[in-house]
Amino acid sequence: MDERGIKRDYRRVSVGAAGLLLLLIALGWLFAPHDLPAADNDGMARFLLLRQDLAIALIAAAATALAWIPMRRRSAMPNLSPRMVALVTAVIVPLGCWLGARLVFGRYDFSRDEQMVTFDATIFAGGHLFAVIPAQLRGMAESFNQTFILPIGQHEAWVSAYLPMNAAIRAIFLRLGDASLAGPVLVAVGAIALWRIAARLWPTSPASQIVALLLYAGSSQIWITAMTAYAMSAHLGLNLLWLCLFLKDRRWAHGAAIVIGFVATGLHQPLFHPLFVLPFLAWLLAEKKWRLLLVYGAAYAAIGLFWLGWPLWISAHGALPAAATTAVSGVGYVERFRHAVAGLHLWGVGLMAANLVRFVAWQHLLLVPLAGYGIWRCWNVDPVARALAMGLILPVAILLILLPYQGHGWGYRYLHGVIGNACLLGGYGWRKLEERGRAPVTAFAGATLASIALLVPLHAVMARRIVAPFAAVAAQRDAVAARVVIVDDRAAPFAQDLVLNRPDFSNRPWVLLGHQVAPEQIAGLCRGGSIAFLGAAQLGGLTSAFDEPAPVTTPDYTALEDAARSAGCRIVAFAK
């Protein structure tokens, strides 16, 4: 293909990708649920689309549509060493993530998912698989918040319902002194693995290796998510490490990849890593590498069975049959999968469209045109590129039916583990442009600077504006001089997430769900010490974070306060 044809094709891909992004914006705007509160799992997607992502997505669409204009003949990337860029990325980005965990989030676990990771990590760091609930507290265990808690006997013990490996990784860093290092270290692992993959794919093109690394460094989603306890940073780092080992095609490397696969499948849900691996196994099938395919197939079958059985095994440690709970739809993953399937609906299409807009808005500004061009040019000629592209498509197609909403998330976290795929496809696109001397060096340099220097700080501010009110209420909760705090958890969005206790109940005050406490239990709670009520007066920040009306005290909660006064409880008031 001549240079004019290269530029024409890149223009078509760029304009087409921009048009697709505009279509996704329209679908999210029109069909994501309108009539739900912003803090509802389904309603949050449209809220975030309008409040955080729309303006940046429109800028990304413009950058994508115009990406072909500054292409200059024979322009060249500055003479940089990919090794040095990889090392700088593996140091600067993780350092920023580690600092951001303090400056942006105040080391506060915002979502219940993150809280469960810290909860489990504390248990594992103590050398246990679960924590025992004292016998005298089992009768009121539901009031301690059983959301995402695995039922073990009649509330005889507790641990989260998630698979354990992300928490186990954080437990290692907790024992070393700082659990918040886990995400940044995994980002560094991903950066080095990405460089080694790029060097293998394009050994004669340092520029393509650098582009893949800068697309990685320019992802706000990578930065902000690594500041949290989410499992997604582990998915990204381990997926890239797996691919680096897989492409080495050595016996020891395949063995190590299977070990990585065991850990990655057991991070938190057993779906995401196998979806990443599946296209590469399909490549082995197409290449008729039967022996290697059999090894991987048998290994992943065993891995899948192990992790599918994990919740059943842990739950079986109770002496009595597991207590009924509404927080977990069954114990085994097969049953939970059956309960989770939503089917294909128009509202689901709107939710997924909003998710994908959010994904694009939280990436490097030129990721979409470069990755799109890489797919366009390499789908039929390069099996690695095709497998990488399928790794992006599969989660979207499956989650559109299974779980079209994500709830909380900085970017679209269910695609986080395959951001490396997109970065490598961007490298493929760059390589094809570079071969004809049409690489958009100037545009890429400007987009990289804007992505890292402007978008990453802007997204950090957006994250802090949502999390800070919750962290402030949690700080109030923890500072009150009472033995027990009862939260009016139905008065404000996500107020139930404020009900969090240490696995061994060593925290003071204990925190209870108001809707799970009966008025007749109040006198017994007061006998052990003072009591405080965290209600609508303290929860205003939670509603303001989602632009909702001020919280109103629920009637059942008023009954609890009345019962405390009638029983003569010593009630500690929160500061105004």
Side-chain angles (χ1 to χ4, degrees):
M1 183 181 294
D2 60 20
E3 294 175 12
R4 183 175 298 177
I6 287 282
K7 188 168 185 177
R8 181 186 64 244
D9 276 0
Y10 187 51
R11 180 176 68 246
R12 288 174 177 172
V13 170
S14 299
V15 174
L20 178 59
L21 180 55
L22 292 174
L23 175 62
L24 291 172
I25 292 172
L27 289 173
W29 184 301
L30 292 172
F31 299 120
H34 293 63
D35 55 348
L36 294 175
D40 183 274
N41 277 331
D42 289 342
M44 193 182 300
R46 192 171 189 272
F47 172 81
L48 294 175
L49 171 66
L50 299 180
R51 295 305 176 91
Q52 291 192 353
D53 303 330
L54 181 58
I56 297 174
L58 291 173
I59 293 171
T64 298
L66 303 176
W68 60 275
I69 292 178
M71 294 169 66
R72 296 178 180 175
R73 191 169 183 268
R74 302 301 176 195
S75 57
M77 182 74 76
N79 186 23
L80 299 173
S81 163
R83 180 191 299 269
M84 184 57 64
V85 174
L87 291 175
V88 170
T89 300
V91 172
I92 298 300
V93 177
L95 178 61
C97 298
W98 181 77
L99 292 172
R102 290 150 178 78
L103 300 177
V104 177
F105 292 98
R107 302 188 71 173
Y108 175 69
D109 291 328
F110 175 52
S111 69
R112 185 66 174 174
D113 288 354
E114 298 163 77
Q115 292 172 0
M116 289 294 92
V117 176
T118 301
F119 185 88
D120 286 355
T122 303
I123 295 172
F124 300 158
H128 306 288
L129 289 176
F130 46 79
V132 174
I133 298 177
Q136 65 271 25
L137 297 180
R138 292 172 188 173
M140 56 184 303
E142 290 288 351
S143 65
F144 286 106
N145 196 353
Q146 296 293 314
T147 304
F148 300 155
I149 294 293
L150 192 69
I152 302 176
Q154 292 293 312
H155 297 303
E156 297 162 39
W158 58 349
V159 70
S160 88
Y162 289 117
L163 294 180
M165 296 311 293
N166 182 44
I169 292 170
R170 290 186 71 86
I172 293 170
F173 285 94
L174 180 61
R175 291 294 299 268
L176 293 174
D178 188 355
S180 69
L181 278 170
V185 168
L186 288 161
V187 167
V189 169
I192 298 301
L194 178 67
W195 165 54
R196 296 311 305 152
I197 295 166
R200 180 174 296 276
L201 295 176
W202 316 296
T204 61
S205 177
S208 300
Q209 301 172 36
I210 291 171
V211 164
L213 286 163
L214 292 180
L215 291 173
Y216 185 90
S219 168
S220 294
Q221 182 169 330
I222 289 177
W223 285 75
I224 307 301
T225 300
M227 300 174 188
T228 73
Y230 278 124
M232 301 308 167
S233 295
H235 276 295
L236 177 59
L238 295 183
N239 282 353
L240 285 168
L241 182 57
W242 183 95
L243 182 56
C244 182
L245 292 165
F246 179 82
L247 293 178
K248 282 184 178 295
D249 199 21
R250 297 288 187 271
R251 182 175 298 179
W252 69 266
H254 288 302
I258 289 171
V259 173
I260 294 297
F262 173 81
V263 176
T265 304
L267 285 171
H268 80 302
Q269 296 282 14
L271 176 67
F272 294 101
H273 177 71
L275 284 180
F276 168 80
V277 169
L278 185 59
F280 294 98
L281 301 190
W283 173 30
L284 295 180
L285 178 64
E287 295 291 318
K288 298 182 179 179
K289 296 184 177 180
W290 307 116
R291 182 175 299 178
L292 189 55
L293 177 62
L294 180 62
V295 169
Y296 272 103
Y300 272 94
I303 289 170
L305 288 173
F306 180 89
W307 289 123
L308 287 172
W310 178 267
L312 295 167
W313 180 67
I314 293 294
S315 187
H317 281 73
L320 299 171
T325 176
T326 59
V328 180
S329 298
V331 177
Y333 274 105
V334 174
E335 183 184 351
R336 288 157 66 181
F337 177 87
R338 181 172 57 83
H339 282 287
V341 173
L344 185 60
H345 303 280
L346 193 58
W347 60 264
V349 173
L351 286 174
M352 183 56 72
N355 292 336
L356 294 177
V357 171
R358 187 163 178 81
F359 179 76
V360 172
W362 285 64
Q363 306 306 321
H364 189 289
L365 283 171
L366 288 190
L367 176 67
V368 170
L370 288 173
Y373 190 69
I375 295 171
W376 175 277
R377 290 296 310 276
C378 300
W379 179 275
N380 292 322
V381 297
D382 192 304
V384 176
R386 185 164 54 251
L388 290 169
M390 285 303 301
L392 284 169
I393 295 168
L394 277 176
V396 175
I398 290 176
L399 290 168
L400 176 61
I401 297 171
L402 175 62
L403 193 67
Y405 69 84
Q406 70 159 344
H408 299 313
W410 315 115
Y412 181 38
R413 56 189 168 99
Y414 293 156
L415 284 184
H416 196 92
V418 293
I419 292 176
N421 296 41
C423 295
L424 290 167
L425 289 167
Y428 270 107
W430 188 275
R431 180 62 179 142
K432 290 299 182 182
L433 294 169
E434 180 188 56
E435 287 175 350
R436 297 292 182 175
R438 287 292 186 175
V441 174
T442 303
F444 185 77
T448 300
L449 181 62
S451 298
I452 296 175
L454 297 178
L455 293 189
V456 171
L458 178 60
H459 282 128
V461 170
M462 290 178 177
R464 179 166 178 78
R465 288 185 65 180
I466 289 182
V467 172
F470 289 79
V473 176
Q476 256 190 308
R477 173 203 66 195
D478 294 341
V480 70
R483 178 175 177 268
V484 173
V485 170
I486 300 178
V487 178
D488 193 355
D489 55 288
R490 292 182 170 175
F494 303 112
Q496 71 274 8
D497 292 344
L498 293 167
V499 180
L500 182 67
N501 298 275
R502 292 177 189 165
D504 61 357
F505 295 95
S506 62
N507 56 291
R508 290 294 183 275
W510 287 345
V511 191
L512 279 65
L513 289 167
H515 85 274
Q516 290 286 357
V517 178
E520 54 268 24
Q521 292 178 302
I522 291 293
L525 290 172
C526 293
R527 281 196 293 270
S530 57
I531 190 169
F533 289 91
L534 187 69
Q538 292 78 41
L539 299 177
L542 277 59
T543 55
S544 66
F546 295 99
D547 292 341
E548 293 191 3
V552 177
T553 302
T554 58
D556 289 346
Y557 196 73
T558 301
L560 296 180
E561 293 179 306
D562 292 341
R565 284 189 287 268
S566 298
C569 296
R570 185 160 62 89
I571 301 175
V572 179
F574 283 93
K576 298 295 185 181

